[in-house]
Amino acid sequence: MSDAAPYLSGLILTDRKVVVVGGGHVAQRRVPLLIAAGAAVTVVSPEVTPALEGMAAEITLVLREFVDTDLDGAWYAVAATDDRVANEQISAAAEARRIFCVRSDDGTRGTAWTPATGKHGSVTVGVLGNREPMKSAALRDDIVTALREGLLTAADAHDRSPGVVLVGGGPGDPELVTVAARHALATADVVVADRLAPRELLDALPSTVELIDVTKLPRGRYASQDFINDVIVARAKEGKRVVRFKGGDNFVFGRGFEEILACRAAGVPVTVVPGLSSAISVPARAGIPVTHRGVAHEFTVVSGHLPPGHPDSLVEWAALARLRGTLVMLMAVENAPEIAATLVADGRDVDTPVAVIVEGTMPEERLVLATLGTLAGEIVSQQVRAPAIIVVGEVVAVAHPEHFGRG
């Protein structure tokens, strides 16, 4: 291979045969990207990793040694064995058939190199670092990060058409926002945000973006759902791209589907970017599993915004008390004492461990440990305020055995 610079080209591999020879970890890394590119992938190797075996429905597995005719009809080849002699045979067979071939053992002996690639919206970034894969990957990461954070602009990389995008912002820590959420914010003309959406990300919005605050404070200021529905529809009908940015996930007590229905009724295009639900992510960040082998085979997520016995409540608290798994309660701080008493009265052990995670994933996060019997007192003495996630069940003792005498 000469020292000439490579000629960069984007290959269209949809429905075209690509042969990967080798069934180890190199092949395991390369094959998913080829599948994603739509290639008709054939893997040739006497043995393959379990992960490659699990892709059998998406690829053709040929479980034997490579023969030159395996490349017949191929458009692209990857020599990914750990045998240099075998890789030489593969690359020679590819050369004879005028098929570009990547060598995993020695890039200088192949006729193509695999760049370090990354995605940002509709843009694919590829970096070739003169056969230095670690350098290529590091530069790729820097470029993609700069694009995601707006340090490099790619204005046409994303869909900017008028309509509404419902974006779940996760539990609060901006690092736990999905890439898709960041992409959506980068396209917004208008952002309609509540107080639980990761607030640090709002500072990165361009000054041209209209920010509409629809905060709902417990027992305080309140933006009605009707107002939110009206404003997102109205701005979209003005030809703007509206991002409805909220905490957690849109559909886990987020009233997101009410916003979907409002958009549909008005004929406004609407899409959804899911977010990490605080019901799972906050306990996980605090080191509390919602399930654990031999301890909890189910978990139930329930809203505690109405107390037991309230005429509008749809929760069967007596049924929840009979379950043996984990109970995760959102919006339940105010009614926690009454809920705990009801669970105990309906059969749950008074000594059932409880964790209250206040301001989960945020710098102010703190953990209050209790039992169903002591929860009411701890909420008062520890001055617990919303937002908080309450976890009820033996998984709390799994995470904190010393506190509950299980160590």
Side-chain angles (χ1 to χ4, degrees), residues 359-380:
E359 295 283 357
T361 80
M362 301 300 289
E364 303 83 4
E365 178 180 314
R366 61 190 178 100
L367 177 68
V368 175
L369 296 174
T371 66
L372 284 177
T374 64
L375 179 60
E378 291 291 347
I379 285 179
V380 173

Side-chain angles (χ1 to χ4, degrees), residues 278-303:
S278 58
I280 300 173
S281 56
V282 167
R285 189 67 170 264
I288 299 173
V290 293
T291 64
H292 187 69
R293 184 171 55 147
V295 176
H297 290 175
E298 87 278 352
F299 68 96
T300 304
V301 181
V302 61
S303 170

Side-chain angles (χ1 to χ4, degrees), residues 4-188:
Y7 179 81
L8 294 177
S9 180
L11 298 181
I12 306 301
L13 296 176
T14 305
D15 297 328
R16 290 175 174 150
K17 182 180 178 180
V18 174
V19 178
V20 178
V21 185
H25 293 293
V26 174
Q28 182 177 316
R29 292 198 304 270
R30 299 287 174 85
V31 167
L33 291 177
L34 293 168
I35 293 173
V41 180
T42 297
V43 174
V44 181
S45 178
E47 297 180 356
V48 297
T49 66
L52 284 170
E53 186 176 347
M55 300 176 202
E58 302 170 273
I59 63 179
T60 299
L61 282 177
V62 180
L63 300 177
R64 57 163 171 74
E65 298 289 350
F66 169 79
V67 294
D68 292 3
T69 54
D70 287 329
L71 295 181
D72 289 350
W75 291 70
Y76 191 68
V78 179
T81 79
D82 56 6
D83 184 337
R84 184 178 181 86
V85 173
N87 287 341
E88 286 284 358
Q89 177 192 350
I90 298 159
S91 56
E95 181 78 12
R97 290 164 174 78
R98 297 186 178 182
I99 299 168
F100 283 103
C101 180
V102 173
R103 286 276 297 268
S104 64
D105 60 333
D106 185 352
T108 65
R109 303 290 295 173
T111 52
W113 301 343
T114 301
T117 60
K119 292 278 291 182
H120 177 74
S122 62
V123 173
T124 299
V125 175
V127 178
L128 287 175
N130 193 29
R131 301 188 300 277
E132 297 180 70
M134 293 184 68
K135 179 187 291 186
S136 298
L139 182 55
R140 180 270 319 275
D141 291 344
D142 287 345
I143 293 170
V144 172
T145 298
L147 286 168
R148 289 173 181 167
E149 295 182 354
L151 302 177
L152 290 175
T153 58
D156 297 326
H158 304 291
D159 181 8
R160 304 183 71 89
S161 58
V164 174
V165 186
L166 305 183
V167 176
D173 184 342
E175 292 298 311
L176 298 178
V177 172
T178 66
V179 172
R182 289 181 179 271
H183 289 180
L185 288 170
T187 70

Side-chain angles (χ1 to χ4, degrees), residues 227-247:
F227 170 78
I228 295 171
N229 294 347
D230 290 344
V231 77
I232 63 177
V233 167
R235 292 298 191 276
K237 283 191 167 184
E238 292 172 4
K240 296 177 179 179
R241 188 164 181 83
V242 182
V243 168
R244 170 68 174 105
F245 192 39
K246 61 181 68 184

Side-chain angles (χ1 to χ4, degrees), residues 2 46 51 140 195 272 310:
S2 72
R140 180 270 319 275
R195 74 184 183 100
V272 177
H310 191 284

